[in-house]
Amino acid sequence: MATKIFKHIQTSVVPLPIENIDTDQIIPARFLKATTRDGFGNNLFRDWRFDENDNPKADFVLNHPTFSGKVLVAGKNFGCGSSREHAAWAISDYGFDAVVSSFFADIFKGNALNNGLLPVQVSDDFLKKIFDAVYADHKAEVEIDLESQTITISSTGEKESFEINPYKKACLINGYDDIDYILSQKGKIEEFELAR
Amino acid sequence: MGQTLFDKIWDAHVVSSSEGFPDILYIDTHFIHEVTSPQAFDGLRQRGLPVFRPKQTVATADHNVPTIDQHLPIKEELSRYQVDMLTKNCKEFGVELYGLGHPYQGIVHVIGPELGITRPGGTYVCGDSHTSTHGAFGAIAFGIGTSQVEQVLATQCLLQSRPKRMKIEVNGKLQKGVGAKDIILYIIAQISAAGGTGYAVEYAGDTIRSLSMEGRMTICNMSIEMGARCGLIAPDETTINYVKGREFAPKGEEWDKAVAYWKTLYSDADASFDEVLSFKAEDIEPMITYGTNPGMGIGVTQHVPETASFEAKEQGSYKKALDYMGLHDDETLLGKPIDYVFIGSCTNSRIEDLRQVAEFVKGKHKADNVTVWVVPGSKQVQQQAIAEGLDKIFDAAGFPLREPGCSACLGMNEDKIPAGKYCVSTSNRNFEGRQGPNSRTFLASPLTAAASAITGVVTDIREFLKEEELV
């Protein structure tokens, strides 16, 4: 089955300079009761975004009138905690195509990659530069190019390269699917089972 | 060059390894539950695929279940629908389900070990980050996302890159009142909530070796709280004796063969680790967390760190955490009034946890300001507790014994801590809203939780134990 493709993006960003954002903040457990993958974006960052009466909290960035864009930029250790893939679904469903941070939790990173949501890990310094740029000009853009594995701050031209597993890179660019790949090796799985 | 325990098990499960690709790793048992599996089964339907090895898949309902009146239909509609969906999916795809009402039902990480499904040398995955628990048996076990649940259902394999290896040694004698939960909270406080990211962590040293299997599970359970891919402990006589005779453990000749193999599962003396850390058991106090990630922990007599002690760029996040918790710089938690005590979760809901708490609270009674919930990890734990009369001790102390499930660990079922209230909890996460919107969690050991329930304030268990010795 084909999966979502990511190649290149140029967009303004949404800054969230908080460290250790865990998946319970991204999507609280009480919203995990759906049995499909759709609609989780409505509850993205639910308890930071809405008060107990479901009114938007004015001080949260997603409710801010001028910050917008297809890239979320967050503090280090983003996505720690639970393995819920619903966190990646919620970010994607809300409309983000990539998350930039100086450090990602393992399981979240894998879940994001499996859903065409690109995790871009940058240095602490570069992360600060993005925050500085976007606070100076809320419409400041970044450009992310997966083929060359680079992220550029459009206004200043400052650029950094990022790492990605070459297999997952090929999957994102071509829309390849893990299950198709493993099933292409089905004979080897059966041989492995017989040899045990 | 010798091999690490982790590499021995990994190598024995590699189906195929190609340059530039993650390894295809064979999974011995796949545990599933109601929350992270429905979309995976849907994926199989869309692809027209069966479950590849249904006999190596085990299901239970734990996250959404109520912990009272389990014989009645689940009241909350969406929870009931999700649990019903699991039943339907298991039936359609031929997967064994230990659902509500089944004598084997319980938290997925409690039932695997107690049924003898989890064994040394195996590979175990589940759509739940606390799958690291099973590593206590000297196994590779880790949490996966729903796309990967679908992958394992479809192929019994998982694409995975080999992580780096870390060894964490703990040596020396623990103080009285300090246990496995304090050890792991101490380690996470030392290396931070991200300190293990990218690593498979092997716990070693004589202090770890001296722990029971249940203590070892508590340690491995929280490996994910420092970001580690998994945690594991080499099997020994303690492990073998625990597995022996359990429902699905190998029997007869197969048992002998298995034990002979398990005895080869240790890190060779000249094995190389990417990182080695050492801690002294004597340095560990009863631990408690004060913040909103499990790395924010201190010895119970210590003070909350000052904001100024952090780097400038970290201070905003730190202040946000203290504000959420209603705490301030340099505050001591000792003596702070609390509202709830939760004893349960895949970290601390096994029979030894319940026995330890029962022994301590026997003849005592909870403080009036505290609500206490004791939630067994499984139906078997509940039955054992009742058979031993622990339920009567709990009742007399004002600690009602409920029915098995994840309960107040994650604010998903009916058991939630109300907004603004403080809960001393034996679970594994103190994230904002984890136990219910705006709830405030202090993570601690079962003994610290029990002592705090009796006094109504955050308490140093060692003070109690000293007094009891004098009597």
Side-chain angles (χ1 to χ4, degrees):
Chain A
M1 273 187 4
T3 53
K4 193 177 158 193
I5 288 174
F6 186 106
K7 287 181 177 167
H8 182 98
I9 192 172
Q10 181 164 1
T11 169
S12 55
V13 307
V14 175
L16 193 51
I18 298 170
E19 300 186 341
N20 297 307
I21 295 177
D22 58 78
T23 53
D24 275 87
Q25 305 320 310
I26 299 170
I27 183 87
R30 63 187 190 278
F31 299 112
L32 305 185
K33 298 183 189 193
T35 51
T36 67
R37 293 174 186 236
D38 312 317
F40 288 101
N42 294 335
N43 294 314
L44 175 66
F45 295 117
R46 181 77 202 193
D47 294 335
W48 288 353
R49 203 168 136 200
F50 299 100
D51 66 16
E52 57 275 24
N53 300 317
D54 295 334
N55 297 312
K57 292 182 181 176
D59 61 351
F60 187 62
V61 68
L62 292 187
N63 299 322
H64 194 280
T66 57
F67 290 114
S68 66
K70 300 191 83 63
V71 172
L72 178 67
V73 184
K76 76 173 180 201
N77 201 25
F78 186 83
C80 58
S82 148
S83 63
R84 60 189 71 164
E85 192 162 312
H86 314 63
W89 299 338
I91 294 171
S92 215
D93 187 54
Y94 183 84
F96 291 113
D97 289 335
V99 183
V100 177
S101 175
S102 54
F103 198 85
F104 287 95
D106 262 353
I107 304 178
F108 174 81
K109 196 198 281 184
N111 287 340
L113 287 166
N114 283 338
N115 286 280
L117 175 71
L118 184 67
V120 178
Q121 186 163 323
V122 297
S123 65
D124 284 333
D125 278 350
F126 198 80
L127 187 70
K128 185 172 180 303
K129 283 177 184 164
I130 303 175
F131 283 136
D132 289 347
V134 69
Y135 285 122
D137 169 9
H138 293 188
K139 291 294 165 204
E141 294 193 340
V142 298
E143 192 176 346
I144 298 170
D145 184 62
L146 181 54
E147 185 56 57
S148 64
Q149 296 177 220
T150 54
I151 173 166
T152 309
I153 302 173
S154 304
S155 56
T156 63
E158 286 168 293
K159 185 188 268 199
E160 194 169 90
S161 54
F162 60 87
E163 297 288 316
I164 181 170
N165 177 289
Y167 165 78
K168 290 315 289 188
K169 178 177 172 179
C171 287
L172 282 176
I173 289 176
N174 300 300
Y176 294 159
D177 171 76
D178 283 349
I179 294 179
D180 290 344
Y181 169 65
I182 304 179
L183 284 177
S184 74
Q185 315 269 320
K186 196 171 164 188
K188 284 190 184 163
I189 302 172
E190 284 163 349
E191 274 171 37
F192 176 89
E193 289 177 324
L194 283 173
R196 302 187 87 195
Chain B
M1 175 66 83
Q3 273 195 305
T4 66
L5 167 64
F6 177 84
D7 289 291
K8 287 180 182 177
I9 303 169
W10 184 280
D11 288 348
H13 289 83
V14 172
V15 168
S16 151
S17 188
S18 312
E19 185 67 30
F21 287 82
D23 288 347
I24 297 181
L25 193 70
Y26 193 79
I27 302 303
D28 289 320
T29 300
H30 183 196
F31 295 102
I32 61 172
H33 62 83
E34 75 277 18
V35 180
T36 57
S37 67
Q39 294 87 350
F41 281 110
D42 262 357
L44 290 187
R45 276 188 207 100
Q46 283 168 28
R47 292 169 192 269
L49 290 172
V51 172
F52 187 66
R53 295 290 178 255
K55 288 196 171 4
Q56 287 166 250
T57 313
V58 176
T60 192
D62 54 5
H63 284 62
N64 262 311
V65 303
T67 58
I68 43 171
D69 294 335
Q70 284 187 349
H71 60 288
L72 299 176
I74 300 175
K75 277 186 252 165
E76 219 274 326
E77 189 186 345
L78 290 173
S79 295
R80 189 175 66 242
Y81 183 71
Q82 210 171 42
V83 171
D84 287 349
M85 184 67 90
L86 179 70
T87 308
K88 179 176 162 282
N89 284 331
C90 287
K91 204 168 166 199
E92 180 180 337
F93 287 90
V95 171
E96 183 81 67
L97 168 66
Y98 303 136
L100 265 190
H102 194 287
Y104 295 163
Q105 181 266 338
I107 304 176
V108 63
H109 311 308
V110 175
I111 69 170
E114 79 183 2
L115 289 169
I117 297 170
T118 307
R119 301 171 208 163
T123 49
Y124 304 94
V125 294
C126 174
D128 188 288
S129 60
H130 293 110
T131 308
S132 57
T133 311
H134 306 256
F137 290 80
I140 293 179
F142 52 91
I144 56 178
T146 297
S147 294
Q148 294 170 310
V149 171
E150 184 180 337
Q151 201 179 109
V152 181
L153 288 174
T155 69
Q156 203 58 35
C157 290
L158 193 68
L159 276 180
Q160 277 287 300
S161 298
R162 191 185 298 244
K164 292 182 283 183
R165 278 73 83 198
M166 182 190 287
K167 179 160 77 169
I168 296 182
E169 290 182 318
V170 186
N171 287 296
K173 194 167 161 30
L174 290 170
Q175 300 175 40
K176 210 168 175 200
V178 174
K181 183 64 167 288
D182 302 298
I183 298 176
I184 191 64
L185 284 173
Y186 177 84
I187 293 172
I188 302 167
Q190 296 294 312
I191 75 171
S192 91
T197 306
Y199 290 94
V201 175
E202 180 178 345
Y203 301 95
D206 56 43
T207 313
I208 301 290
R209 205 50 53 223
S210 70
L211 297 173
S212 69
M213 276 323 293
E214 301 199 354
R216 295 178 190 187
M217 285 188 247
T218 299
I219 301 260
C220 288
N221 171 274
M222 291 192 70
S223 302
I224 183 64
E225 307 312 335
M226 51 184 162
R229 182 80 59 86
C230 64
L232 69 173
I233 296 171
D236 57 12
E237 286 304 316
T238 303
T239 323
I240 294 168
N241 290 336
Y242 180 96
V243 178
K244 193 171 187 176
R246 290 187 182 265
E247 181 73 26
F248 298 108
K251 308 272 165 9
E253 226 174 274
E254 274 194 28
W255 170 258
D256 296 336
K257 220 172 98 189
V259 170
Y261 173 57
W262 297 346
K263 289 187 170 168
T264 68
L265 297 174
Y266 51 84
S267 287
D268 297 324
D270 58 345
S272 137
F273 289 85
D274 299 284
E275 178 87 53
V276 177
L277 302 174
S278 269
F279 299 103
K280 286 193 200 129
E282 291 79 4
D283 291 345
I284 306 174
E285 276 195 274
M287 293 290 294
I288 192 152
T289 64
Y290 59 88
T292 54
N293 74 59
M296 300 173 85
I298 48 177
V300 70
T301 62
Q302 293 169 1
H303 291 231
V304 172
E306 304 216 15
T307 308
S309 68
F310 292 88
E311 280 183 53
K313 65 174 177 151
E314 293 174 345
Q315 289 183 6
S317 299
Y318 182 72
K319 243 188 109 2
K320 183 177 188 302
L322 286 199
D323 285 349
Y324 180 85
M325 292 299 294
L327 299 174
H328 54 77
D329 279 7
D330 202 34
E331 184 168 354
T332 174
L333 297 188
L334 269 186
K336 190 166 184 68
I338 58 164
D339 308 290
Y340 283 79
V341 163
F342 170 55
I343 294 167
S345 88
C346 56
T347 315
N348 283 120
S349 64
R350 298 179 177 82
I351 190 66
E352 286 177 15
D353 298 312
L354 269 47
R355 282 182 191 140
Q356 189 183 39
V357 170
E359 188 189 7
F360 174 75
V361 303
K362 193 170 185 177
K364 301 186 181 78
H365 196 273
K366 76 168 183 77
D368 289 343
N369 58 309
V370 181
T371 301
V372 185
W373 293 332
V374 181
V375 183
S378 70
K379 208 75 199 162
Q380 292 204 75
V381 170
Q382 182 194 2
Q383 294 306 330
Q384 182 69 28
I386 292 169
E388 295 178 19
L390 305 187
D391 56 328
K392 296 201 173 63
I393 297 172
F394 286 137
D395 268 347
F399 283 48
L401 179 67
R402 296 167 76 98
E403 291 175 284
C406 296
S407 186
C409 176
L410 88 164
M412 178 159 198
N413 48 72
E414 294 166 12
D415 305 344
K416 291 187 182 71
I417 307 302
K421 299 293 184 190
Y422 287 102
C423 177
V424 177
S425 178
T426 68
S427 55
N428 39 57
R429 289 189 173 135
N430 50 354
F431 298 151
E432 286 184 34
R434 173 75 181 184
Q435 297 193 286
N438 289 310
S439 59
R440 292 159 161 171
T441 305
F442 296 136
L443 298 177
S445 72
L447 271 181
T448 295
S452 302
I454 300 300
T455 57
V457 298
V458 173
T459 296
D460 185 347
I461 177 69
R462 292 171 299 183
E463 297 299 320
F464 256 108
L465 297 178
K466 255 190 247 166
E467 276 174 33
E468 288 183 2
E469 268 172 20
L470 291 174
V471 174

